[in-house]
Structures are given as C-alpha cells and as structure tokens.
Amino acid sequence: MVSHSWDRKYGLKETKTGKSRIVPISQELYSILLEYSSRSIHNYIFSKTTQDKPIANYSIRKEFYKALENIKISKNEREERSIDFHSWRRYYNTRLVVKGYPTAIIQAILGHSKDSNMTEHYTKLTIKDLSIVIEKNKNYRNVL
C-alpha cells in the first residue's frame, strides 16, 4: 500500500492525489522487500545513511543508469530510446490500456488523478499495439 511520498524539501507527505493506493507486486518481490525490511535498522526500506530519510532519488537513478550500462545500453542509446526511471511506469500503464483495463483501475493503481490526462500521458503505444487493431479487423482491410 502506498500512502505517502517523500519530498527532499518537505519530507514525508501524503501522495499527490491525497489517497492511498494498492500497488500489485509479485509474491517474490513482496518476500524480498519483507526480508530486506526486517534486516534494516532504518525507518525506510531504502535508506543509506540515516534513519529519518530514504535514499536520495539521484542515487537510485545513478544505479539504474549503471545497470543499463551493464546490459550494454549506452547513454546515447538510453537517450535515443528515451529510457529513464519512469520507463517501467509508462510500459505498465500502456500494457494495462492495451489489455482493456478501465481507466479508473489504471488511475487507482498508478496513482493518477481523477481525470485521464496522466493516464494518456503515460500511454506509449507501439506499432505492435496498433497491429492488434488491424489483426482484429482483418476482414475490413479495405476500410483501413
């Protein structure tokens, strides 16, 4: 359950929407986080130096870029492909949209506001996604 967010300037605060949300994760990830948190001496699961602050976002971003380099995705390729820390969020949002989940459910999971602007913003359809429409309507190709 996500009930709070961290801001460098203001510290612990409520989420952007002011609402808690459930974020579906695998049992495996849940177990890893539970184990990690049980060994942590800090108040946050991801904390480096102090009990009262989580790890800084720039530290996570730095490690993320290092991991991309390790799998041979260079800085130039990362920038060309627009891969950043929110890429997974865009991917997940798009998969939910393509699978036909109602916008309200997608908003609830991702913590988007009540209007669909952010859901639309995070939807990045691919040619493969669009080909599904063609395949489902193959009897109507003359219309396309």
Side-chain angles (χ1 to χ4, degrees):
M1 166 100 44
V2 175
S3 322
H4 297 86
S5 65
W6 179 264
D7 184 278
R8 282 181 293 195
K9 186 175 181 181
Y10 302 109
L12 191 64
K13 60 182 196 136
E14 65 180 17
T15 64
K16 287 180 185 177
T17 61
K19 294 182 177 181
S20 296
R21 68 182 186 276
I22 295 172
V23 178
I25 60 174
S26 69
Q27 183 62 44
E28 180 183 11
L29 178 56
Y30 177 78
S31 296
I32 291 168
L33 291 174
L34 195 60
E35 170 66 24
Y36 191 76
S37 69
S38 71
R39 290 185 279 133
S40 177
I41 60 169
H42 305 298
N43 293 331
Y44 296 93
I45 294 175
F46 303 108
S47 182
K48 267 190 171 177
T49 58
T50 175
Q51 291 189 39
D52 59 347
K53 286 186 184 176
I55 192 169
N57 61 349
Y58 60 83
S59 294
I60 295 171
R61 189 172 33 254
K62 181 178 148 187
E63 292 302 317
F64 174 68
Y65 292 156
K66 198 184 304 182
L68 290 174
E69 291 281 341
N70 288 340
I71 61 170
K72 309 295 185 230
I73 296 178
S74 67
K75 179 181 179 185
N76 287 341
E77 183 180 356
R78 176 172 45 87
E79 290 173 353
E80 253 178 47
R81 293 172 56 188
S82 300
I83 299 172
D84 60 24
F85 199 71
H86 269 76
S87 293
W88 178 249
R89 185 178 181 91
R90 284 190 289 276
Y91 174 80
Y92 189 53
N93 182 96
T94 301
R95 299 287 39 95
L96 293 173
V97 167
V98 168
K99 287 184 178 272
Y101 283 90
T103 301
I105 289 176
I106 298 169
Q107 290 169 331
I109 291 171
L110 295 175
H112 294 158
S113 60
K114 289 181 183 176
D115 66 43
S116 59
N117 291 343
M118 287 309 291
T119 305
E120 290 173 17
H121 172 75
Y122 278 100
T123 301
K124 304 296 181 200
L125 297 172
T126 65
I127 296 296
K128 184 179 177 183
D129 297 327
L130 300 176
S131 68
I132 292 168
V133 173
I134 293 170
E135 182 60 32
K136 286 187 176 187
N137 293 289
K138 62 184 171 187
N139 296 331
Y140 304 101
R141 286 191 183 177
N142 59 349
V143 175
L144 297 175

PDB file of all heavy atoms in Angstrom, residues 52-86:
ATOM      1  N   ASP A  52      16.065   8.674   9.351  1.00  0.00           N
ATOM      2  CA  ASP A  52      14.912   9.531   9.092  1.00  0.00           C
ATOM      3  C   ASP A  52      14.797  10.023   7.648  1.00  0.00           C
ATOM      4  O   ASP A  52      13.989  10.878   7.357  1.00  0.00           O
ATOM      5  CB  ASP A  52      14.906  10.712  10.067  1.00  0.00           C
ATOM      6  CG  ASP A  52      16.168  11.569   9.969  1.00  0.00           C
ATOM      7  OD1 ASP A  52      17.146  11.127   9.348  1.00  0.00           O
ATOM      8  OD2 ASP A  52      16.159  12.667  10.534  1.00  0.00           O
ATOM      9  N   LYS A  53      15.596   9.454   6.729  1.00  0.00           N
ATOM     10  CA  LYS A  53      15.495   9.836   5.317  1.00  0.00           C
ATOM     11  C   LYS A  53      15.685   8.618   4.430  1.00  0.00           C
ATOM     12  O   LYS A  53      16.563   7.804   4.671  1.00  0.00           O
ATOM     13  CB  LYS A  53      16.571  10.857   4.948  1.00  0.00           C
ATOM     14  CG  LYS A  53      16.328  12.235   5.481  1.00  0.00           C
ATOM     15  CD  LYS A  53      17.370  13.190   4.941  1.00  0.00           C
ATOM     16  CE  LYS A  53      17.181  14.560   5.555  1.00  0.00           C
ATOM     17  NZ  LYS A  53      18.231  15.471   5.126  1.00  0.00           N
ATOM     18  N   PRO A  54      14.852   8.505   3.398  1.00  0.00           N
ATOM     19  CA  PRO A  54      15.065   7.410   2.441  1.00  0.00           C
ATOM     20  C   PRO A  54      16.248   7.743   1.529  1.00  0.00           C
ATOM     21  O   PRO A  54      16.743   8.876   1.533  1.00  0.00           O
ATOM     22  CB  PRO A  54      13.754   7.377   1.655  1.00  0.00           C
ATOM     23  CG  PRO A  54      13.216   8.769   1.747  1.00  0.00           C
ATOM     24  CD  PRO A  54      13.676   9.306   3.074  1.00  0.00           C
ATOM     25  N   ILE A  55      16.649   6.781   0.739  1.00  0.00           N
ATOM     26  CA  ILE A  55      17.741   7.001  -0.201  1.00  0.00           C
ATOM     27  C   ILE A  55      17.337   8.087  -1.196  1.00  0.00           C
ATOM     28  O   ILE A  55      16.175   8.195  -1.583  1.00  0.00           O
ATOM     29  CB  ILE A  55      18.099   5.676  -0.913  1.00  0.00           C
ATOM     30  CG1 ILE A  55      19.414   5.817  -1.662  1.00  0.00           C
ATOM     31  CG2 ILE A  55      16.986   5.221  -1.824  1.00  0.00           C
ATOM     32  CD1 ILE A  55      19.957   4.483  -2.153  1.00  0.00           C
ATOM     33  N   ALA A  56      18.292   8.915  -1.575  1.00  0.00           N
ATOM     34  CA  ALA A  56      18.014  10.028  -2.493  1.00  0.00           C
ATOM     35  C   ALA A  56      17.715   9.502  -3.895  1.00  0.00           C
ATOM     36  O   ALA A  56      18.315   8.529  -4.343  1.00  0.00           O
ATOM     37  CB  ALA A  56      19.208  10.978  -2.527  1.00  0.00           C
ATOM     38  N   ASN A  57      16.795  10.175  -4.572  1.00  0.00           N
ATOM     39  CA  ASN A  57      16.397   9.720  -5.907  1.00  0.00           C
ATOM     40  C   ASN A  57      17.571   9.727  -6.887  1.00  0.00           C
ATOM     41  O   ASN A  57      17.647   8.884  -7.761  1.00  0.00           O
ATOM     42  CB  ASN A  57      15.213  10.523  -6.443  1.00  0.00           C
ATOM     43  CG  ASN A  57      15.509  11.995  -6.597  1.00  0.00           C
ATOM     44  OD1 ASN A  57      16.526  12.493  -6.135  1.00  0.00           O
ATOM     45  ND2 ASN A  57      14.613  12.716  -7.233  1.00  0.00           N
ATOM     46  N   TYR A  58      18.511  10.643  -6.734  1.00  0.00           N
ATOM     47  CA  TYR A  58      19.654  10.670  -7.649  1.00  0.00           C
ATOM     48  C   TYR A  58      20.536   9.434  -7.466  1.00  0.00           C
ATOM     49  O   TYR A  58      21.151   8.959  -8.420  1.00  0.00           O
ATOM     50  CB  TYR A  58      20.473  11.954  -7.519  1.00  0.00           C
ATOM     51  CG  TYR A  58      21.070  12.190  -6.155  1.00  0.00           C
ATOM     52  CD1 TYR A  58      22.262  11.586  -5.775  1.00  0.00           C
ATOM     53  CD2 TYR A  58      20.437  13.023  -5.243  1.00  0.00           C
ATOM     54  CE1 TYR A  58      22.805  11.792  -4.515  1.00  0.00           C
ATOM     55  CE2 TYR A  58      20.974  13.237  -3.980  1.00  0.00           C
ATOM     56  CZ  TYR A  58      22.157  12.624  -3.631  1.00  0.00           C
ATOM     57  OH  TYR A  58      22.698  12.833  -2.388  1.00  0.00           O
ATOM     58  N   SER A  59      20.575   8.875  -6.276  1.00  0.00           N
ATOM     59  CA  SER A  59      21.343   7.643  -6.047  1.00  0.00           C
ATOM     60  C   SER A  59      20.694   6.468  -6.780  1.00  0.00           C
ATOM     61  O   SER A  59      21.383   5.641  -7.383  1.00  0.00           O
ATOM     62  CB  SER A  59      21.418   7.312  -4.557  1.00  0.00           C
ATOM     63  OG  SER A  59      22.148   8.270  -3.865  1.00  0.00           O
ATOM     64  N   ILE A  60      19.390   6.409  -6.733  1.00  0.00           N
ATOM     65  CA  ILE A  60      18.667   5.343  -7.426  1.00  0.00           C
ATOM     66  C   ILE A  60      18.841   5.506  -8.935  1.00  0.00           C
ATOM     67  O   ILE A  60      19.109   4.540  -9.653  1.00  0.00           O
ATOM     68  CB  ILE A  60      17.175   5.337  -7.026  1.00  0.00           C
ATOM     69  CG1 ILE A  60      17.040   4.982  -5.545  1.00  0.00           C
ATOM     70  CG2 ILE A  60      16.370   4.381  -7.909  1.00  0.00           C
ATOM     71  CD1 ILE A  60      15.661   5.154  -4.980  1.00  0.00           C
ATOM     72  N   ARG A  61      18.720   6.730  -9.418  1.00  0.00           N
ATOM     73  CA  ARG A  61      18.871   6.999 -10.850  1.00  0.00           C
ATOM     74  C   ARG A  61      20.280   6.608 -11.318  1.00  0.00           C
ATOM     75  O   ARG A  61      20.454   5.970 -12.356  1.00  0.00           O
ATOM     76  CB  ARG A  61      18.576   8.467 -11.150  1.00  0.00           C
ATOM     77  CG  ARG A  61      18.490   8.775 -12.620  1.00  0.00           C
ATOM     78  CD  ARG A  61      17.997  10.190 -12.948  1.00  0.00           C
ATOM     79  NE  ARG A  61      18.370  11.213 -12.015  1.00  0.00           N
ATOM     80  CZ  ARG A  61      17.547  11.783 -11.124  1.00  0.00           C
ATOM     81  NH1 ARG A  61      16.296  11.390 -11.041  1.00  0.00           N
ATOM     82  NH2 ARG A  61      17.971  12.736 -10.329  1.00  0.00           N
ATOM     83  N   LYS A  62      21.286   6.946 -10.526  1.00  0.00           N
ATOM     84  CA  LYS A  62      22.679   6.614 -10.863  1.00  0.00           C
ATOM     85  C   LYS A  62      22.860   5.102 -10.984  1.00  0.00           C
ATOM     86  O   LYS A  62      23.466   4.611 -11.932  1.00  0.00           O
ATOM     87  CB  LYS A  62      23.611   7.178  -9.786  1.00  0.00           C
ATOM     88  CG  LYS A  62      25.062   6.929 -10.020  1.00  0.00           C
ATOM     89  CD  LYS A  62      25.864   7.595  -8.904  1.00  0.00           C
ATOM     90  CE  LYS A  62      27.122   6.807  -8.623  1.00  0.00           C
ATOM     91  NZ  LYS A  62      27.843   7.294  -7.456  1.00  0.00           N
ATOM     92  N   GLU A  63      22.307   4.340 -10.038  1.00  0.00           N
ATOM     93  CA  GLU A  63      22.406   2.878 -10.075  1.00  0.00           C
ATOM     94  C   GLU A  63      21.613   2.296 -11.247  1.00  0.00           C
ATOM     95  O   GLU A  63      22.025   1.318 -11.867  1.00  0.00           O
ATOM     96  CB  GLU A  63      21.939   2.272  -8.754  1.00  0.00           C
ATOM     97  CG  GLU A  63      22.848   2.586  -7.584  1.00  0.00           C
ATOM     98  CD  GLU A  63      24.286   2.117  -7.785  1.00  0.00           C
ATOM     99  OE1 GLU A  63      24.488   0.979  -8.281  1.00  0.00           O
ATOM    100  OE2 GLU A  63      25.202   2.886  -7.449  1.00  0.00           O
ATOM    101  N   PHE A  64      20.485   2.906 -11.560  1.00  0.00           N
ATOM    102  CA  PHE A  64      19.678   2.475 -12.696  1.00  0.00           C
ATOM    103  C   PHE A  64      20.474   2.631 -13.992  1.00  0.00           C
ATOM    104  O   PHE A  64      20.540   1.702 -14.808  1.00  0.00           O
ATOM    105  CB  PHE A  64      18.380   3.296 -12.742  1.00  0.00           C
ATOM    106  CG  PHE A  64      17.513   3.038 -13.948  1.00  0.00           C
ATOM    107  CD1 PHE A  64      16.879   1.815 -14.114  1.00  0.00           C
ATOM    108  CD2 PHE A  64      17.321   4.021 -14.899  1.00  0.00           C
ATOM    109  CE1 PHE A  64      16.068   1.578 -15.219  1.00  0.00           C
ATOM    110  CE2 PHE A  64      16.510   3.795 -15.997  1.00  0.00           C
ATOM    111  CZ  PHE A  64      15.888   2.577 -16.163  1.00  0.00           C
ATOM    112  N   TYR A  65      21.115   3.775 -14.176  1.00  0.00           N
ATOM    113  CA  TYR A  65      21.912   4.008 -15.381  1.00  0.00           C
ATOM    114  C   TYR A  65      23.116   3.066 -15.442  1.00  0.00           C
ATOM    115  O   TYR A  65      23.481   2.570 -16.502  1.00  0.00           O
ATOM    116  CB  TYR A  65      22.370   5.457 -15.460  1.00  0.00           C
ATOM    117  CG  TYR A  65      21.229   6.442 -15.686  1.00  0.00           C
ATOM    118  CD1 TYR A  65      21.344   7.766 -15.299  1.00  0.00           C
ATOM    119  CD2 TYR A  65      20.033   6.052 -16.283  1.00  0.00           C
ATOM    120  CE1 TYR A  65      20.310   8.669 -15.500  1.00  0.00           C
ATOM    121  CE2 TYR A  65      18.999   6.945 -16.483  1.00  0.00           C
ATOM    122  CZ  TYR A  65      19.146   8.255 -16.107  1.00  0.00           C
ATOM    123  OH  TYR A  65      18.129   9.148 -16.316  1.00  0.00           O
ATOM    124  N   LYS A  66      23.697   2.775 -14.295  1.00  0.00           N
ATOM    125  CA  LYS A  66      24.809   1.823 -14.231  1.00  0.00           C
ATOM    126  C   LYS A  66      24.334   0.423 -14.653  1.00  0.00           C
ATOM    127  O   LYS A  66      25.022  -0.272 -15.396  1.00  0.00           O
ATOM    128  CB  LYS A  66      25.387   1.781 -12.812  1.00  0.00           C
ATOM    129  CG  LYS A  66      26.781   1.188 -12.741  1.00  0.00           C
ATOM    130  CD  LYS A  66      27.310   1.052 -11.320  1.00  0.00           C
ATOM    131  CE  LYS A  66      27.315   2.323 -10.537  1.00  0.00           C
ATOM    132  NZ  LYS A  66      27.881   2.146  -9.180  1.00  0.00           N
ATOM    133  N   ALA A  67      23.152   0.030 -14.194  1.00  0.00           N
ATOM    134  CA  ALA A  67      22.589  -1.271 -14.569  1.00  0.00           C
ATOM    135  C   ALA A  67      22.337  -1.331 -16.077  1.00  0.00           C
ATOM    136  O   ALA A  67      22.582  -2.369 -16.712  1.00  0.00           O
ATOM    137  CB  ALA A  67      21.304  -1.536 -13.793  1.00  0.00           C
ATOM    138  N   LEU A  68      21.860  -0.244 -16.660  1.00  0.00           N
ATOM    139  CA  LEU A  68      21.652  -0.206 -18.110  1.00  0.00           C
ATOM    140  C   LEU A  68      22.976  -0.362 -18.848  1.00  0.00           C
ATOM    141  O   LEU A  68      23.063  -1.095 -19.840  1.00  0.00           O
ATOM    142  CB  LEU A  68      20.960   1.096 -18.523  1.00  0.00           C
ATOM    143  CG  LEU A  68      19.494   1.239 -18.114  1.00  0.00           C
ATOM    144  CD1 LEU A  68      18.974   2.621 -18.463  1.00  0.00           C
ATOM    145  CD2 LEU A  68      18.634   0.164 -18.742  1.00  0.00           C
ATOM    146  N   GLU A  69      24.006   0.319 -18.375  1.00  0.00           N
ATOM    147  CA  GLU A  69      25.345   0.181 -18.972  1.00  0.00           C
ATOM    148  C   GLU A  69      25.807  -1.272 -18.899  1.00  0.00           C
ATOM    149  O   GLU A  69      26.401  -1.795 -19.840  1.00  0.00           O
ATOM    150  CB  GLU A  69      26.355   1.086 -18.260  1.00  0.00           C
ATOM    151  CG  GLU A  69      26.151   2.574 -18.485  1.00  0.00           C
ATOM    152  CD  GLU A  69      26.670   3.080 -19.829  1.00  0.00           C
ATOM    153  OE1 GLU A  69      27.490   2.395 -20.457  1.00  0.00           O
ATOM    154  OE2 GLU A  69      26.239   4.174 -20.229  1.00  0.00           O
ATOM    155  N   ASN A  70      25.533  -1.950 -17.775  1.00  0.00           N
ATOM    156  CA  ASN A  70      25.937  -3.346 -17.597  1.00  0.00           C
ATOM    157  C   ASN A  70      25.281  -4.287 -18.602  1.00  0.00           C
ATOM    158  O   ASN A  70      25.825  -5.340 -18.911  1.00  0.00           O
ATOM    159  CB  ASN A  70      25.653  -3.833 -16.176  1.00  0.00           C
ATOM    160  CG  ASN A  70      26.597  -3.226 -15.166  1.00  0.00           C
ATOM    161  OD1 ASN A  70      27.677  -2.741 -15.507  1.00  0.00           O
ATOM    162  ND2 ASN A  70      26.199  -3.244 -13.907  1.00  0.00           N
ATOM    163  N   ILE A  71      24.096  -3.915 -19.087  1.00  0.00           N
ATOM    164  CA  ILE A  71      23.435  -4.743 -20.100  1.00  0.00           C
ATOM    165  C   ILE A  71      23.609  -4.138 -21.500  1.00  0.00           C
ATOM    166  O   ILE A  71      22.831  -4.391 -22.412  1.00  0.00           O
ATOM    167  CB  ILE A  71      21.949  -5.015 -19.766  1.00  0.00           C
ATOM    168  CG1 ILE A  71      21.140  -3.719 -19.694  1.00  0.00           C
ATOM    169  CG2 ILE A  71      21.817  -5.838 -18.505  1.00  0.00           C
ATOM    170  CD1 ILE A  71      19.637  -3.936 -19.609  1.00  0.00           C
ATOM    171  N   LYS A  72      24.655  -3.325 -21.615  1.00  0.00           N
ATOM    172  CA  LYS A  72      25.087  -2.771 -22.911  1.00  0.00           C
ATOM    173  C   LYS A  72      24.119  -1.761 -23.521  1.00  0.00           C
ATOM    174  O   LYS A  72      24.015  -1.659 -24.737  1.00  0.00           O
ATOM    175  CB  LYS A  72      25.381  -3.890 -23.922  1.00  0.00           C
ATOM    176  CG  LYS A  72      26.306  -4.975 -23.417  1.00  0.00           C
ATOM    177  CD  LYS A  72      27.675  -4.446 -23.148  1.00  0.00           C
ATOM    178  CE  LYS A  72      28.624  -5.566 -22.757  1.00  0.00           C
ATOM    179  NZ  LYS A  72      29.377  -5.341 -21.580  1.00  0.00           N
ATOM    180  N   ILE A  73      23.418  -1.029 -22.668  1.00  0.00           N
ATOM    181  CA  ILE A  73      22.619   0.089 -23.162  1.00  0.00           C
ATOM    182  C   ILE A  73      23.383   1.351 -22.781  1.00  0.00           C
ATOM    183  O   ILE A  73      23.422   1.747 -21.613  1.00  0.00           O
ATOM    184  CB  ILE A  73      21.195   0.087 -22.573  1.00  0.00           C
ATOM    185  CG1 ILE A  73      20.435  -1.164 -23.036  1.00  0.00           C
ATOM    186  CG2 ILE A  73      20.442   1.357 -22.984  1.00  0.00           C
ATOM    187  CD1 ILE A  73      19.043  -1.309 -22.483  1.00  0.00           C
ATOM    188  N   SER A  74      24.020   1.960 -23.771  1.00  0.00           N
ATOM    189  CA  SER A  74      24.865   3.131 -23.544  1.00  0.00           C
ATOM    190  C   SER A  74      24.015   4.364 -23.242  1.00  0.00           C
ATOM    191  O   SER A  74      22.799   4.364 -23.446  1.00  0.00           O
ATOM    192  CB  SER A  74      25.716   3.413 -24.785  1.00  0.00           C
ATOM    193  OG  SER A  74      24.874   3.810 -25.858  1.00  0.00           O
ATOM    194  N   LYS A  75      24.680   5.392 -22.797  1.00  0.00           N
ATOM    195  CA  LYS A  75      23.986   6.651 -22.520  1.00  0.00           C
ATOM    196  C   LYS A  75      23.306   7.165 -23.791  1.00  0.00           C
ATOM    197  O   LYS A  75      22.157   7.604 -23.747  1.00  0.00           O
ATOM    198  CB  LYS A  75      24.958   7.696 -21.977  1.00  0.00           C
ATOM    199  CG  LYS A  75      24.312   9.019 -21.703  1.00  0.00           C
ATOM    200  CD  LYS A  75      25.284  10.049 -21.187  1.00  0.00           C
ATOM    201  CE  LYS A  75      24.550  11.359 -20.953  1.00  0.00           C
ATOM    202  NZ  LYS A  75      25.460  12.442 -20.568  1.00  0.00           N
ATOM    203  N   ASN A  76      24.008   7.088 -24.927  1.00  0.00           N
ATOM    204  CA  ASN A  76      23.422   7.561 -26.190  1.00  0.00           C
ATOM    205  C   ASN A  76      22.175   6.759 -26.564  1.00  0.00           C
ATOM    206  O   ASN A  76      21.163   7.329 -26.948  1.00  0.00           O
ATOM    207  CB  ASN A  76      24.449   7.478 -27.321  1.00  0.00           C
ATOM    208  CG  ASN A  76      25.505   8.547 -27.205  1.00  0.00           C
ATOM    209  OD1 ASN A  76      25.318   9.555 -26.530  1.00  0.00           O
ATOM    210  ND2 ASN A  76      26.633   8.319 -27.853  1.00  0.00           N
ATOM    211  N   GLU A  77      22.268   5.422 -26.437  1.00  0.00           N
ATOM    212  CA  GLU A  77      21.110   4.587 -26.753  1.00  0.00           C
ATOM    213  C   GLU A  77      19.964   4.863 -25.787  1.00  0.00           C
ATOM    214  O   GLU A  77      18.802   4.940 -26.190  1.00  0.00           O
ATOM    215  CB  GLU A  77      21.483   3.102 -26.722  1.00  0.00           C
ATOM    216  CG  GLU A  77      20.324   2.215 -27.126  1.00  0.00           C
ATOM    217  CD  GLU A  77      20.658   0.741 -27.118  1.00  0.00           C
ATOM    218  OE1 GLU A  77      21.819   0.359 -26.871  1.00  0.00           O
ATOM    219  OE2 GLU A  77      19.728  -0.055 -27.360  1.00  0.00           O
ATOM    220  N   ARG A  78      20.300   5.007 -24.506  1.00  0.00           N
ATOM    221  CA  ARG A  78      19.280   5.298 -23.490  1.00  0.00           C
ATOM    222  C   ARG A  78      18.545   6.581 -23.851  1.00  0.00           C
ATOM    223  O   ARG A  78      17.316   6.651 -23.795  1.00  0.00           O
ATOM    224  CB  ARG A  78      19.952   5.432 -22.122  1.00  0.00           C
ATOM    225  CG  ARG A  78      19.015   5.835 -21.023  1.00  0.00           C
ATOM    226  CD  ARG A  78      19.660   5.781 -19.659  1.00  0.00           C
ATOM    227  NE  ARG A  78      20.968   6.341 -19.513  1.00  0.00           N
ATOM    228  CZ  ARG A  78      21.230   7.629 -19.243  1.00  0.00           C
ATOM    229  NH1 ARG A  78      20.254   8.490 -19.118  1.00  0.00           N
ATOM    230  NH2 ARG A  78      22.462   8.046 -19.088  1.00  0.00           N
ATOM    231  N   GLU A  79      19.296   7.599 -24.247  1.00  0.00           N
ATOM    232  CA  GLU A  79      18.671   8.880 -24.601  1.00  0.00           C
ATOM    233  C   GLU A  79      17.882   8.770 -25.898  1.00  0.00           C
ATOM    234  O   GLU A  79      16.787   9.322 -26.005  1.00  0.00           O
ATOM    235  CB  GLU A  79      19.741   9.963 -24.675  1.00  0.00           C
ATOM    236  CG  GLU A  79      20.292  10.315 -23.307  1.00  0.00           C
ATOM    237  CD  GLU A  79      21.479  11.265 -23.336  1.00  0.00           C
ATOM    238  OE1 GLU A  79      21.992  11.568 -24.436  1.00  0.00           O
ATOM    239  OE2 GLU A  79      21.897  11.688 -22.233  1.00  0.00           O
ATOM    240  N   GLU A  80      18.434   8.029 -26.892  1.00  0.00           N
ATOM    241  CA  GLU A  80      17.717   7.821 -28.151  1.00  0.00           C
ATOM    242  C   GLU A  80      16.381   7.126 -27.942  1.00  0.00           C
ATOM    243  O   GLU A  80      15.384   7.476 -28.550  1.00  0.00           O
ATOM    244  CB  GLU A  80      18.565   6.927 -29.072  1.00  0.00           C
ATOM    245  CG  GLU A  80      19.204   7.640 -30.214  1.00  0.00           C
ATOM    246  CD  GLU A  80      20.062   6.679 -31.038  1.00  0.00           C
ATOM    247  OE1 GLU A  80      19.585   5.566 -31.358  1.00  0.00           O
ATOM    248  OE2 GLU A  80      21.194   7.058 -31.345  1.00  0.00           O
ATOM    249  N   ARG A  81      16.387   6.118 -27.060  1.00  0.00           N
ATOM    250  CA  ARG A  81      15.186   5.326 -26.804  1.00  0.00           C
ATOM    251  C   ARG A  81      14.317   5.920 -25.700  1.00  0.00           C
ATOM    252  O   ARG A  81      13.276   5.359 -25.363  1.00  0.00           O
ATOM    253  CB  ARG A  81      15.586   3.896 -26.428  1.00  0.00           C
ATOM    254  CG  ARG A  81      16.219   3.142 -27.590  1.00  0.00           C
ATOM    255  CD  ARG A  81      16.792   1.796 -27.186  1.00  0.00           C
ATOM    256  NE  ARG A  81      15.801   0.943 -26.546  1.00  0.00           N
ATOM    257  CZ  ARG A  81      16.101  -0.215 -25.966  1.00  0.00           C
ATOM    258  NH1 ARG A  81      17.331  -0.662 -25.956  1.00  0.00           N
ATOM    259  NH2 ARG A  81      15.154  -0.932 -25.398  1.00  0.00           N
ATOM    260  N   SER A  82      14.731   7.056 -25.160  1.00  0.00           N
ATOM    261  CA  SER A  82      14.005   7.728 -24.071  1.00  0.00           C
ATOM    262  C   SER A  82      13.787   6.798 -22.888  1.00  0.00           C
ATOM    263  O   SER A  82      12.694   6.750 -22.318  1.00  0.00           O
ATOM    264  CB  SER A  82      12.665   8.282 -24.561  1.00  0.00           C
ATOM    265  OG  SER A  82      12.860   9.220 -25.583  1.00  0.00           O
ATOM    266  N   ILE A  83      14.832   6.051 -22.510  1.00  0.00           N
ATOM    267  CA  ILE A  83      14.738   5.169 -21.355  1.00  0.00           C
ATOM    268  C   ILE A  83      15.132   5.962 -20.121  1.00  0.00           C
ATOM    269  O   ILE A  83      16.220   6.542 -20.064  1.00  0.00           O
ATOM    270  CB  ILE A  83      15.664   3.935 -21.500  1.00  0.00           C
ATOM    271  CG1 ILE A  83      15.259   3.119 -22.726  1.00  0.00           C
ATOM    272  CG2 ILE A  83      15.628   3.089 -20.233  1.00  0.00           C
ATOM    273  CD1 ILE A  83      16.222   1.994 -23.061  1.00  0.00           C
ATOM    274  N   ASP A  84      14.237   6.024 -19.175  1.00  0.00           N
ATOM    275  CA  ASP A  84      14.537   6.684 -17.912  1.00  0.00           C
ATOM    276  C   ASP A  84      13.859   5.920 -16.784  1.00  0.00           C
ATOM    277  O   ASP A  84      13.292   4.855 -17.018  1.00  0.00           O
ATOM    278  CB  ASP A  84      14.110   8.164 -17.928  1.00  0.00           C
ATOM    279  CG  ASP A  84      12.626   8.354 -18.175  1.00  0.00           C
ATOM    280  OD1 ASP A  84      11.823   7.426 -17.896  1.00  0.00           O
ATOM    281  OD2 ASP A  84      12.239   9.437 -18.636  1.00  0.00           O
ATOM    282  N   PHE A  85      13.929   6.448 -15.594  1.00  0.00           N
ATOM    283  CA  PHE A  85      13.400   5.716 -14.454  1.00  0.00           C
ATOM    284  C   PHE A  85      11.889   5.495 -14.545  1.00  0.00           C
ATOM    285  O   PHE A  85      11.367   4.554 -13.990  1.00  0.00           O
ATOM    286  CB  PHE A  85      13.766   6.431 -13.150  1.00  0.00           C
ATOM    287  CG  PHE A  85      13.653   5.538 -11.961  1.00  0.00           C
ATOM    288  CD1 PHE A  85      14.559   4.516 -11.753  1.00  0.00           C
ATOM    289  CD2 PHE A  85      12.624   5.696 -11.055  1.00  0.00           C
ATOM    290  CE1 PHE A  85      14.455   3.661 -10.663  1.00  0.00           C
ATOM    291  CE2 PHE A  85      12.512   4.861  -9.950  1.00  0.00           C
ATOM    292  CZ  PHE A  85      13.429   3.845  -9.764  1.00  0.00           C
ATOM    293  N   HIS A  86      11.203   6.355 -15.296  1.00  0.00           N
ATOM    294  CA  HIS A  86       9.751   6.209 -15.434  1.00  0.00           C
ATOM    295  C   HIS A  86       9.356   5.302 -16.602  1.00  0.00           C
ATOM    296  O   HIS A  86       8.164   5.109 -16.861  1.00  0.00           O
ATOM    297  CB  HIS A  86       9.096   7.583 -15.600  1.00  0.00           C
ATOM    298  CG  HIS A  86       8.695   8.193 -14.313  1.00  0.00           C
ATOM    299  ND1 HIS A  86       9.591   8.763 -13.453  1.00  0.00           N
ATOM    300  CD2 HIS A  86       7.486   8.307 -13.723  1.00  0.00           C
ATOM    301  CE1 HIS A  86       8.947   9.205 -12.395  1.00  0.00           C
ATOM    302  NE2 HIS A  86       7.669   8.939 -12.528  1.00  0.00           N
TER     303      HIS A  86
END
